[in-house]
Amino acid sequence: MSTFQNLGLNDDLLQAINDLGFSTPSEVQEKAIPVLLHADTDLVALAQTGTGKTAAFGFPMLQKINVDSRTTQGLILSPTRELCLQITNEMKLYGKYCKGLNVVAIYGGASITEQARDVKRGAQIIVATPGRMKDMISRNLVDISKIEYSVLDEADEMLNMGFKEDITDILSHTPKDKNTWLFSATMPSEVASIAKHFMHQPQEITVGNKNESTNQVSHEYYLVNSRDRYLTLKRLADANPDIFSVVFCRTKRDTQKVAEKLIEDGYNAGALHGDLSQNQRDLVMKAFRNNQIQMLVATDVAARGIDVEDITHVINYQLPDEIETYTHRSGRTGRAGKTGVSMVIVSKSEVRKIKSIERIIKKQFERKTIPNGMEICEVQLMSLANKVHNTEVNHDIDNYLGKINTLFSDTTKDELIKKFFSVEFTRFYNYYQKTPDLNTIESSGSDDKDRGDSTRYFINVGKKDGFDWMSLKDFLREILELGKEDVFKVETKDSFSFFNTENAVKDKVLNFFTDFKYNGRFVNVEVSENRGNSKRRDRKRNGSNRNFKQNDSKNRTERRSTSGKSKPRRSKSNDFAASRPRRSRR
Ligand code: AMP
């Protein structure tokens, strides 16, 4: 087994390693450190976060630079502010016995003047995010013309975030004969092309499985009439009560307009685009980071470099002009090992672009049906029921229990439940009960076979139990012993889901789930109030497509309360609008 000593590290570093309590080198360190220490070479290392890669490039860089000089000799580029600060911190710890060492972090959202001052004091190593670095180069605040070692850390993430041009520009200010060390979790073609362009016969090391993908994003699209984009956006948000999303628009004007409409309609939304001042942008990003904003409506340029984890959905309100930009958008979700969904609202004239995107991302899109009003009401109701169920009791309420009990002394448990949920549910119900189907005729979910009368079920397992629509479908087919096509319209939500079967097997399904346990808990299946066949039903009710449009324009005038908590107010159309309570995800 190798030790840090026999990798060739000097005493200053070994002492720091000892202080840090690192007993043995990790795999990436074992493979990279001797190569980087003993040869002047370029390197491509395929390694995930958490494998000790910072030390793998950090130790050799610290050992090779001249700390007696004030010249900047090492440049580390990283995709996000968090990572930039983390690397800086680690480098300082590793180099704590390297007398005279100065490592400076350069990243957006903090004072550029202070960062420039820190660099001027003589930073041998700069750790930077590409956007701010480029900015400082263009203002002559840094000199990287004598760089000897450059690191591209999490290169796949940087390219995903749209930093390719910035990286190219930054590297053009560095000497040609420097060594470049590229670290990436995956090796998509864009990373391979960077390696080819900027590196000279790089050595390659791999830790773990080379083809292991960190990409956890599923892609879906919704086919609508262009004029229904906004209504569709609202439905997608309402059908996902815990959404935490970036909504991409093509222009600054659309971005501002959509954000304003969402705010008027009571959603926790904010706009991010180039017409806002830096201060305004910082405030929006702060609110988004703190989860006070659930829907950040943004242009591609402004959203570049958004380094917020936990984004559950990316919504393409409009497709980007450049198809390649789609990768950068969808890369905002599904990060840090989490799953994410990238949704595209697409009109008939644009639908062919989906095929082109599929070719570029090498993944299939799923065609999805826009949920109808009653489906959304059910989702909202069950989401609320789950929240209530999981809420920790506040025992200060005990003091008022007597009064409350007196008030409800004549109310049965069922009535009380109905009243309690009606407070919230009625607003959604009133808003959605008469809304039309927004799907264009061609639209149908991939799982949406038109097959006569079927039964739609509610089931109390969902994403939290590890299911997505495909795995739940397979699971149901298997336990119910049904055929490949017998379970359809499967929709998974966080803690519950919906699915359909033919009416003929309804009794079999319901009987099976009378005492079925999964992971130690009873699985409950009930017939859902809506059948998930909105298209057919709405068409019949409205008579013709033209009627849909008349209804639509009526609904488009509907406004939701901005106060968040207030009662539904009347819109000009005389319909009640559902007000959406403002929520913080925390
Ligand atoms: P990284 O992959 O560079 O983000 O490192 C992940 C974490 O592992 C950091 O907190 C490092 O301090 C720690 N680490 C790095 N190398 C070692 C090692 N050889 N032994 C124990 N911990 C390590």
Side-chain angles (χ1 to χ4, degrees):
M1 192 202 290
S2 69
T3 61
F4 283 109
Q5 276 89 348
N6 58 30
L7 291 183
L9 295 173
N10 66 25
D11 287 345
D12 287 347
L13 293 171
L14 290 174
Q15 209 176 332
I17 291 168
N18 190 43
D19 289 359
L20 284 162
F22 297 176
S23 51
T24 46
S26 68
E27 188 186 349
V28 66
Q29 292 162 2
E30 209 173 355
K31 288 182 173 168
I33 291 172
V35 173
L36 299 181
L37 275 184
H38 304 302
D40 282 331
T41 178
D42 286 350
L43 175 87
V44 171
L46 285 170
Q48 311 268 345
T49 311
T51 51
K53 63 188 167 59
T54 312
F57 60 75
F59 291 153
M61 186 182 277
L62 287 165
Q63 185 153 324
K64 286 183 130 180
I65 57 160
N66 176 7
V67 278
D68 296 330
S69 158
R70 283 155 53 96
T71 308
T72 303
Q73 303 149 59
L75 172 66
I76 302 165
L77 291 178
S78 81
T80 67
R81 176 216 317 242
E82 278 73 20
L83 190 59
C84 170
L85 287 168
Q86 196 182 308
I87 295 170
T88 309
N89 197 30
E90 294 271 316
M91 293 295 280
K92 284 180 179 168
L93 288 173
Y94 303 158
K96 72 193 243 202
Y97 296 109
C98 305
K99 220 163 163 268
L101 174 72
N102 191 16
V103 184
V104 172
I106 284 181
Y107 53 92
S111 161
I112 198 165
T113 328
E114 270 176 37
Q115 291 174 357
R117 211 167 37 221
D118 289 346
V119 171
K120 261 219 164 75
R121 280 197 203 115
Q124 295 95 354
I125 297 175
I126 289 178
V127 187
T129 53
R132 175 56 66 94
M133 188 66 200
K134 195 180 155 197
D135 206 3
M136 290 190 68
I137 293 171
S138 67
R139 297 199 211 177
N140 274 329
L141 296 174
V142 282
D143 176 8
I144 51 169
S145 63
K146 304 205 173 57
I147 290 289
E148 291 176 50
Y149 310 101
S150 67
V151 174
L152 303 177
D153 192 24
E154 303 213 350
D156 49 355
E157 263 303 297
M158 284 201 282
L159 297 179
N160 251 343
M161 291 170 79
F163 285 133
K164 187 174 179 182
E165 273 174 36
D166 287 356
I167 294 171
T168 309
D169 188 81
I170 293 164
L171 293 182
S172 73
H173 289 84
T174 59
K176 278 214 157 53
D177 60 356
K178 69 184 175 303
N179 289 149
T180 302
W181 307 335
L182 181 150
F183 285 74
S184 191
T186 55
M187 186 48 83
S189 56
E190 268 189 311
V191 177
S193 119
I194 284 267
K196 198 167 156 217
H197 271 89
F198 293 100
M199 301 170 83
H200 180 65
Q201 297 180 341
Q203 303 216 28
E204 196 177 306
I205 60 170
T206 302
V207 178
N209 180 359
K210 186 171 178 169
N211 294 318
E212 200 173 337
S213 169
T214 52
N215 195 344
Q216 308 266 18
V217 183
S218 56
H219 303 263
E220 35 189 70
Y221 73 91
Y222 296 82
L223 193 58
V224 300
N225 286 320
S226 273
R227 63 177 174 277
D228 289 332
R229 271 183 214 278
Y230 180 68
L231 289 177
T232 305
L233 174 65
K234 287 208 308 183
R235 286 210 190 170
L236 296 178
D238 288 342
N240 294 282
D242 291 320
I243 196 166
F244 181 52
S245 61
V246 184
V247 179
F248 282 98
C249 293
R250 238 189 323 239
T251 65
K252 292 186 235 178
R253 203 164 149 262
D254 285 347
T255 303
Q256 184 64 30
K257 220 167 62 187
V258 169
E260 275 174 14
K261 271 166 112 184
L262 286 171
I263 293 166
E264 270 180 45
D265 286 350
Y267 294 82
N268 303 319
L272 188 73
H273 55 74
D275 282 352
L276 302 175
S277 68
Q278 182 63 42
N279 193 31
Q280 284 170 316
R281 271 185 281 171
D282 288 348
L283 283 175
V284 172
M285 279 313 295
K286 191 168 169 213
F288 189 52
R289 275 199 194 94
N290 292 338
N291 292 156
Q292 287 153 346
I293 284 178
Q294 271 188 290
M295 301 175 81
L296 180 71
V297 191
T299 56
D300 290 296
V301 176
R304 216 171 48 168
I306 285 181
D307 55 351
V308 178
E309 282 182 6
D310 290 345
I311 291 172
T312 58
H313 294 75
V314 161
I315 303 182
N316 293 264
Y317 186 77
Q318 294 139 338
L319 275 174
D321 289 328
E322 301 281 326
I323 289 173
E324 287 75 10
T325 306
Y326 178 83
T327 324
H328 305 146
R329 289 183 174 186
S330 59
R332 300 303 89 238
T333 185
R335 302 183 62 201
K338 304 210 174 76
T339 55
V341 183
S342 175
M343 297 169 152
V344 181
I345 303 173
V346 72
S347 69
K348 259 192 264 178
S349 62
E350 299 168 312
V351 76
R352 68 197 150 73
K353 280 193 181 174
I354 295 289
K355 282 270 160 278
S356 316
I357 296 173
E358 282 179 339
R359 272 196 297 277
I360 286 178
I361 63 172
K362 299 194 174 69
K363 274 193 160 191
Q364 290 276 311
F365 270 80
E366 188 190 338
R367 286 176 68 175
K368 294 280 250 184
T369 312
I370 303 157
N372 66 36
M374 287 305 104
E375 276 174 318
I376 288 174
C377 287
E378 192 163 349
V379 167
Q380 288 285 344
L381 185 63
M382 292 320 298
S383 159
L384 179 63
N386 271 294
K387 263 183 205 150
V388 171
H389 186 252
N390 298 332
T391 293
E392 242 178 72
V393 171
N394 178 342
H395 285 290
D396 283 346
I397 292 173
D398 294 355
N399 300 329
Y400 308 97
L401 215 52
K403 277 188 194 167
I404 296 173
N405 271 327
T406 312
L407 189 63
F408 290 105
S409 56
D410 293 338
T411 316
T412 65
K413 182 185 166 194
D414 274 1
E415 267 171 358
L416 183 62
I417 290 175
K418 282 188 216 168
K419 275 175 186 276
F420 178 84
F421 285 106
S422 296
V423 174
E424 187 78 2
F425 179 65
T426 307
R427 285 203 292 258
F428 273 98
Y429 183 78
N430 285 348
Y431 177 73
Y432 273 119
Q433 64 172 333
K434 290 194 184 107
T435 50
D437 183 9
L438 297 179
N439 296 287
T440 57
I441 290 156
E442 290 82 346
S443 169
S444 70
S446 63
D447 195 32
D448 177 14
K449 310 278 184 297
D450 200 359
R451 52 176 78 209
D453 278 341
S454 65
T455 303
R456 185 139 177 93
Y457 308 86
F458 163 88
I459 181 166
N460 65 338
V461 295
K463 289 179 190 162
K464 280 189 181 145
D465 304 284
F467 288 109
D468 59 16
W469 73 269
M470 276 184 285
S471 58
L472 183 59
K473 181 176 174 152
D474 289 343
F475 172 73
L476 290 168
R477 278 200 304 108
E478 206 174 301
I479 57 170
L480 292 166
E481 294 174 346
L482 292 173
K484 196 163 171 251
E485 300 297 320
D486 294 343
V487 178
F488 47 100
K489 284 179 176 283
V490 182
E491 286 263 342
T492 44
K493 306 289 173 192
D494 266 1
S495 19
F496 54 91
S497 307
F498 299 101
F499 66 96
N500 279 37
T501 70
E502 307 263 340
N503 285 347
V505 293
K506 178 173 149 189
D507 287 345
K508 179 179 178 180
V509 174
L510 294 176
N511 288 337
F512 181 86
F513 284 104
T514 47
D515 66 347
F516 177 76
K517 274 189 176 177
Y518 178 70
N519 280 349
R521 100 179 143 87
F522 279 107
V523 176
N524 178 27
V525 169
E526 284 161 26
V527 174
S528 167
E529 281 310 305
N530 72 75
R531 294 164 58 236
N533 282 335
S534 57
K535 208 165 40 188
R536 199 164 41 237
R537 195 175 49 207
D538 284 352
R539 237 177 266 156
K540 220 182 267 170
R541 192 173 60 213
N542 290 305
S544 76
N545 266 339
R546 256 183 88 214
N547 282 343
F548 289 4
K549 287 169 196 158
Q550 283 158 6
N551 269 349
D552 276 3
S553 59
K554 203 174 177 187
N555 282 307
R556 269 196 292 274
T557 63
E558 286 181 344
R559 288 276 151 86
R560 285 172 167 203
S561 161
T562 50
S563 71
K565 284 181 241 102
S566 65
K567 286 182 193 146
R569 65 172 191 235
R570 273 180 191 278
S571 70
K572 282 183 202 136
S573 68
N574 234 12
D575 285 339
F576 273 112
S579 87
R580 182 188 175 87
R582 280 177 196 282
R583 287 172 303 201
S584 165
R585 291 175 69 246
R586 285 204 176 136

